[in-house]
């Protein structure tokens, strides 16, 4: 496995680059905007293909690299369903599994530092964001933070993991790089409390100044979505309503770009072909499945995904591959459902 802990010294943020092998798919957790070129260089040197970029929560102390990485690599941006960001490519919730080739991360909803804080468990290690830090915990005094929720997330979720589980946080200000669940239970000064009330009291008396970047970072991090209106202007987008009206038309081929798990959980549009986004470039090349189906049937390929990002990138990829007659459903199946589009489950 390739596992790299990368540090941004300005915000003391740790980002994590994961892949199962050289030459394979990679995922990055909590990338920092100013470090994006460095990540891309490393990804290139290790011959990796970045497919997912994940934020554990909306950060207040640095601007996320999610949007820039998506624009430069066409990767899938991922956040939890509670994150109040305009658009990400994929949203995950408690109990979901986030996968790339050869790796799988369990999604744990661990609110408290913010109400959109998630941790990601990958076998013997857990990425705790700002929920659990090394000998510390993330502050709970803004972004809908809650010391009570954080106590529950830490004591009833994270500390229930095996003692030897390695803890990889989103920040460290003292130079520590990794800890374990057992070590934190015993030596984290914030966790030496006898009750939730004692924890709430402790957190209420920290009196921390606001992060320097907060007024810039939070609004920026809430607007990470791809600008889908450009495609609409070029006539390459269908609104969800237009898409509903075109259901069953013989000249249109609907293509669902989401993963199997998303289709099972959120339903799909009946009659749609399933072609997961990570394989789309290949499928659009001459000889590729979508290319051949489009040619053989003469139908216009209409991509859709969860929120319209993967489908927008697929339209661009199709154009680059010389397949001009495509479009996407703006806002994805989320928008489709919101205007009453029929969804097939199972
Ligand atoms: Fe944070």
């Amino acid at each position: 496995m390739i596992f790299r802990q990368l540090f941004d010294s300005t915000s003391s943020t740790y980002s994590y680059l994961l892949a199962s092998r050289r030459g394979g798919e990679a995922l990055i957790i909590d990338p920092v905007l100013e470090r994006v070129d460095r990540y891309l260089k490393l990804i290139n040197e290790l011959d990796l293909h970045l497919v997912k970029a994940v934020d554990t929560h909306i950060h207040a102390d640095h601007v996320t690299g999610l949007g820039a990485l998506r624009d430069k690599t066409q990767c899938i941006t991922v956040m939890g369903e509670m994150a109040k960001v305009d658009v990400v490519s994929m949203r995950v919730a408690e109990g979901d599994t986030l996968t790339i080739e050869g790796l799988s991360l369990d999604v744990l909803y661990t609110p408290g530092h913010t109400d959109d804080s998630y941790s990601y468990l990958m076998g013997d290690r857990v990425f705790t964001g700002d929920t659990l830090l090394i000998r510390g915990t993330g502050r709970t005094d803004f972004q809908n933070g809650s010391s009570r929720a954080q106590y529950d997330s830490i004591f009833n979720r994270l500390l229930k993991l095996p003692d030897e589980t390695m803890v990889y946080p989103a920040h460290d200000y003292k130079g520590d790089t990794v800890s374990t669940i057992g070590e934190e239970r015993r030596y984290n000064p914030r966790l030496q409390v006898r009750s939730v009330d004692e924890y709430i009291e402790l957190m209420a008396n920290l009196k921390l100044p606001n992060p320097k970047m907060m007024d810039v970072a939070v609004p920026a991090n809430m607007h990470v979505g791809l600008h889908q209106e450009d495609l609409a202007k070029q006539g390459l987008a269908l609104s969800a309503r237009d898409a509903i009206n075109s259901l069953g038309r013989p000249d249109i081929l609907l293509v669902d770009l989401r993963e199997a798990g998303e289709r099972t959980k959120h339903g799909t549009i009946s009659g749609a072909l399933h072609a997961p986004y990570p394989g789309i470039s290949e499928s659009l090349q001459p000889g590729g499945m979508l290319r051949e189906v489009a040619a053989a049937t003469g139908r216009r390929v209409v991509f859709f995904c969860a929120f319209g990002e993967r489908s927008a990138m697929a339209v661009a990829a199709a154009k680059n591959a010389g397949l001009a007659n495509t479009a996407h459903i703006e806002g994805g199946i989320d928008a489709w459902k919101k205007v009453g589009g029929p969804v097939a489950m199972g």
Side-chain angles (χ1 to χ4, degrees):
M1 184 176 61
I2 293 170
F3 177 87
R4 295 296 169 90
Q5 183 177 36
L6 302 155
F7 188 57
D8 172 55
S9 51
T10 311
S11 61
S12 297
T13 301
Y14 284 130
S15 310
Y16 301 92
L17 179 69
L18 316 174
S20 65
R21 62 178 179 96
R22 265 186 101 92
E25 291 185 353
L27 173 150
I28 194 165
I29 298 175
D30 288 330
V32 175
L33 178 63
E34 286 79 4
R35 304 288 166 187
V36 159
D37 288 342
R38 180 171 147 231
Y39 307 145
L40 292 173
K41 186 163 181 278
L42 179 62
I43 286 165
N44 191 33
E45 287 163 350
L46 298 176
D47 192 25
L48 298 173
H49 176 45
L50 185 69
V51 293
K52 283 178 183 161
V54 187
D55 264 355
T56 51
H57 63 290
I58 296 180
H59 296 283
D61 56 355
H62 67 270
V63 176
T64 174
L66 251 60
L69 285 169
R70 177 204 56 226
D71 292 344
K72 293 190 179 197
T73 69
Q74 285 70 54
C75 70
I76 295 172
T77 57
V78 183
M79 286 191 80
E81 62 178 6
M82 292 296 288
K84 291 177 195 70
V85 292
D86 55 350
V87 186
V88 283
S89 308
M90 181 187 284
R91 286 183 184 267
V92 291
E94 166 71 33
D96 284 351
T97 312
L98 185 61
T99 56
I100 60 164
E101 175 207 357
L103 293 179
S104 123
L105 287 75
D106 298 323
V107 182
L108 311 177
Y109 178 45
T110 51
H113 167 57
T114 63
D115 62 353
D116 70 341
S117 289
Y118 292 76
S119 298
Y120 292 86
L121 176 66
M122 186 176 75
D124 62 356
R125 60 200 70 192
V126 61
F127 303 97
T128 53
D130 291 354
T131 303
L132 178 59
L133 305 174
I134 299 171
R135 307 300 189 266
T137 57
R139 63 194 297 174
T140 56
D141 55 339
F142 51 72
Q143 288 182 286
N144 296 320
S146 156
S147 301
R148 185 176 295 279
Q150 192 175 47
Y151 179 92
D152 188 55
S153 294
I154 294 173
F155 281 86
N156 298 322
R157 300 300 310 277
L158 296 173
L159 295 190
K160 301 278 190 222
L161 296 171
D163 266 11
E164 57 278 14
T165 308
M166 287 179 279
V167 173
Y168 285 101
H171 293 288
D172 192 86
Y173 306 94
K174 312 170 300 294
D176 293 323
T177 53
V178 60
S179 181
T180 66
I181 289 292
E183 222 178 283
E184 290 311 308
R185 179 188 294 107
R186 281 188 295 278
Y187 303 119
N188 188 320
R190 299 247 178 107
L191 306 187
Q192 310 311 309
V193 290
R194 281 156 301 181
S195 67
V196 60
D197 291 324
E198 203 178 308
Y199 185 73
I200 292 169
E201 165 106 19
L202 187 159
M203 294 303 284
N205 290 307
L206 294 178
K207 298 191 177 66
L208 300 165
N210 279 352
K212 287 185 236 66
M213 284 279 286
M214 186 170 168
D215 295 337
V216 175
V218 173
N221 290 340
M222 290 171 82
H223 293 96
V224 294
L226 183 83
H227 296 291
Q228 296 178 33
E229 56 278 12
D230 296 349
L231 282 182
K233 278 185 208 139
Q234 298 169 52
L236 299 175
L238 299 180
S239 70
R241 268 185 212 289
D242 290 346
I244 291 169
N245 293 334
S246 72
L247 248 191
R249 260 174 53 182
D251 56 333
I252 280 178
L253 177 67
L254 283 173
V255 174
D256 187 350
L257 298 171
R258 295 170 304 156
E259 298 180 358
E262 296 176 277
R263 283 158 58 91
T264 310
K265 191 167 171 188
H266 301 290
T268 187
I269 300 174
S270 67
L273 201 70
H274 184 212
Y277 175 76
I280 204 70
S281 311
E282 213 178 294
S283 198
L284 288 165
Q285 296 307 315
M289 188 268 282
L290 275 178
R291 183 66 166 250
E292 295 304 306
V293 171
T297 62
R299 292 158 89 183
R300 184 184 204 192
V301 173
V302 176
F303 298 108
F304 70 94
C305 58
F307 304 101
E309 283 210 340
R310 279 168 278 181
S311 55
M313 293 191 288
V315 170
K319 218 171 159 185
N320 288 338
L323 190 69
N325 192 23
T326 66
H328 85 131
I329 301 179
E330 209 170 16
I333 200 161
D334 179 61
W336 169 278
K337 280 183 173 178
K338 280 179 181 149
V339 292
V343 167
M345 297 303 292

